[in-house]
Amino acid sequence: MFAAVATLSVMATGCQPEPGQTPSPASTTSLEAPTPDPSFSPIETELPDADFALPESCEEIYSADMLAQLQAANPPLNDPGVTMLSTESADLLEIIHSGAPTIRCSWGQPSEFGLATNVTVVDAGQADAIAAALPAAGFGCEALGDGTICRIEQRGITLDDQEYTRGETHYLGEGAVVTTAWINFSPEGYTEDVVATLWG
């Protein structure tokens, strides 16, 4: 797996607690992610003449084995208190929040242990913009199937001396992009499973 190290400003992601709750684990990293606009999540439609059929539910983006692994390792699916974005890339966020057909899936409770994934239908122009933006932002990219997978990762220590690891893994395939941000939870083969499930 090819990974690159990002600066803190590039990788400001995290799952945040609901007001009045204590994060678990108790350490904090002061990683605040803006709350996604409710009008953007999820949009379960399909672009006219798109070659990619957007799944109707999050369960459909995983193989049965991966879904069972996620349900056992870090439930629940789509906790409403999780506001973690699937990327901090301004270019990708602009596409995801533009009204492009998107489905959002998150795993875990509001804490510093979880991930968020968006599957977004893109056109050729958007795909070209993504393909240029990710390497320029420091992502390490390589071929995967008929598309491209890009990764970036950061390790650090919080103010209360707790180690953390976080990163992003994105896949650009025909007709869609899969964006995933994670903190302290990166199941082996996660994105590869999504790719195999959606593109075959």
Side-chain angles (χ1 to χ4, degrees):
M1 302 289 182
F2 186 86
V5 177
T7 63
L8 185 60
S9 61
V10 172
M11 292 304 308
T13 61
C15 300
Q16 296 300 307
E18 295 179 281
Q21 290 187 345
T22 301
S24 176
S27 62
T28 59
T29 55
S30 300
L31 304 175
E32 295 186 1
T35 302
D37 188 324
S39 65
F40 297 140
S41 176
I43 304 170
E44 297 180 358
T45 57
E46 189 174 347
L47 286 176
D49 303 322
D51 294 328
F52 181 86
L54 190 69
E56 294 184 358
S57 71
C58 287
E59 289 85 352
E60 295 178 15
I61 77 171
Y62 307 107
S63 68
D65 287 346
M66 178 59 71
L67 181 60
Q69 176 184 333
L70 293 166
Q71 289 171 332
N74 196 23
L77 171 62
N78 292 336
D79 187 304
V82 174
T83 60
M84 184 178 190
L85 300 175
S86 66
T87 182
E88 285 296 318
S89 165
D91 298 281
L92 287 174
L93 288 174
E94 182 177 359
I95 292 170
I96 293 169
H97 292 173
S98 69
T102 295
I103 186 169
R104 170 183 163 81
C105 309
S106 68
W107 288 95
Q109 298 177 347
S111 68
E112 294 171 7
F113 187 81
L115 63 77
T117 292
N118 278 24
V119 181
T120 303
V121 176
V122 295
D123 60 30
Q126 291 169 326
D128 288 344
I130 293 168
L134 291 178
F139 283 76
C141 300
E142 61 186 352
L144 176 64
D146 293 329
T148 303
I149 190 168
C150 299
R151 299 181 177 90
I152 199 164
E153 183 177 305
Q154 178 194 15
R155 297 176 184 270
I157 299 177
T158 67
L159 295 177
D160 48 358
D161 295 325
Q162 298 295 315
E163 294 184 357
Y164 69 88
T165 306
R166 62 181 180 178
E168 297 185 16
T169 304
H170 307 317
Y171 177 78
L172 181 59
E174 184 176 358
V177 61
V178 179
T179 56
T180 299
W182 52 269
I183 181 165
N184 296 325
F185 182 64
S186 180
E188 184 175 356
Y190 175 89
T191 297
E192 289 83 353
D193 182 85
V194 174
V195 171
T197 303
L198 297 182
W199 279 272

